[in-house]
Amino acid sequence: MTGDRQDPEEQRSGLARAADDSPLTGRGIVDAIGGPLGIVESVLPPLVFVVYYQVVAIRQAPVPVDRPALIPIAVVPLVLAALFVLLRLVRRQKPGGAISGAALVAVSAVLVLVTGDANANYLPGFFINAGYGLAFLVSVLVRRPLVGVVTGLLLSDAGWGSSAALRRAATWLSLLWVLLFTVRLAVEVPLYLAGDKVVELGIARIVLGLPLYSIVLVVTVLVVQALRRRQAA
């Protein structure tokens, strides 16, 4: 960072890391998943929701958490998400990721308040994971694996599909992303259907969120970089 302007290197995230051949260092991994602020934006609102709910549930036990008590539980994470958007704007950073995160928190909060069920907080995530998983799966079935398409766009390499090795790797990597979204749904949906598993669902959402995403992203970037070096050689 220099003043309020974001270092261009810090703006590189996700598969964009595959575009340079430098080793993927610890800082590179952090930057690839959104930087320190991006990590906090991703983890803090759901963590606050779970902790706040648990505190209220303990205080009201054995009486279930009622609708009035759910209002601050749902609103506080939303306020945090809005503050992250404001912080991005103040620091003159692109607020796109923070805005999308805040929108998701807002939809979740509305569902909780309308239904009076804290478990509804996790419903949007199910649809998002199912949508992404289906998109990656369809891309593989039509032989245009998303990992290859995105990597080709980032590297300005329209001919990525002409290489059998790259196409094969992109297919397997895309299936790896399908597995990520499938694992999330396989763990979280049964907890949701079991009912009254707000804390367990929250823990699963956090553990299977950024940590699992980071592992799959790092594997993807390392494989793409290795194949690019092999091609260059």
Side-chain angles (χ1 to χ4, degrees), residues 9-147:
E9 180 63 18
E10 291 181 349
Q11 296 178 4
R12 300 173 62 76
S13 60
L15 283 177
R17 282 279 157 186
D20 77 61
D21 295 320
S22 59
L24 194 59
T25 62
R27 176 177 176 178
I29 295 172
V30 171
D31 289 342
I33 58 178
L37 181 56
I39 293 173
V40 176
E41 289 171 350
S42 175
V43 173
L44 190 57
L47 179 61
V48 168
F49 181 90
V50 171
V51 173
Y52 201 165
Y53 179 89
Q54 181 67 358
V55 169
V56 173
I58 292 174
R59 286 179 178 177
Q60 293 193 359
V63 180
V65 178
D66 53 21
R67 190 185 295 265
L70 285 174
I71 295 176
I73 294 173
V75 170
V76 170
L78 180 57
V79 172
L80 281 173
L83 288 175
F84 285 131
V85 174
L86 181 61
L87 180 58
R88 289 283 187 182
L89 294 173
V90 169
R91 298 177 64 178
R92 300 181 185 177
Q93 297 175 349
K94 294 180 180 180
I99 291 174
S100 61
L104 177 60
V105 175
V107 172
S108 299
V110 169
L111 287 173
V112 170
L113 297 178
V114 169
T115 63
D117 180 10
N119 281 293
N121 178 70
Y122 304 103
L123 278 174
F126 298 155
F127 290 100
I128 291 173
N129 282 293
Y132 275 120
L134 184 61
F136 274 95
L137 181 58
V138 170
S139 75
V140 170
L141 295 177
V142 299
R143 299 185 179 181
R144 296 289 294 175
L146 270 177
V147 170

Side-chain angles (χ1 to χ4, degrees), residues 155 157 159-160 162-167 224-233:
L155 301 176
D157 180 13
W160 65 268
S162 61
S163 168
L166 282 176
R167 191 169 59 250
V224 171
Q225 285 185 339
L227 287 172
R228 289 186 64 225
R229 293 193 189 99
R230 182 181 299 176
Q231 279 193 320

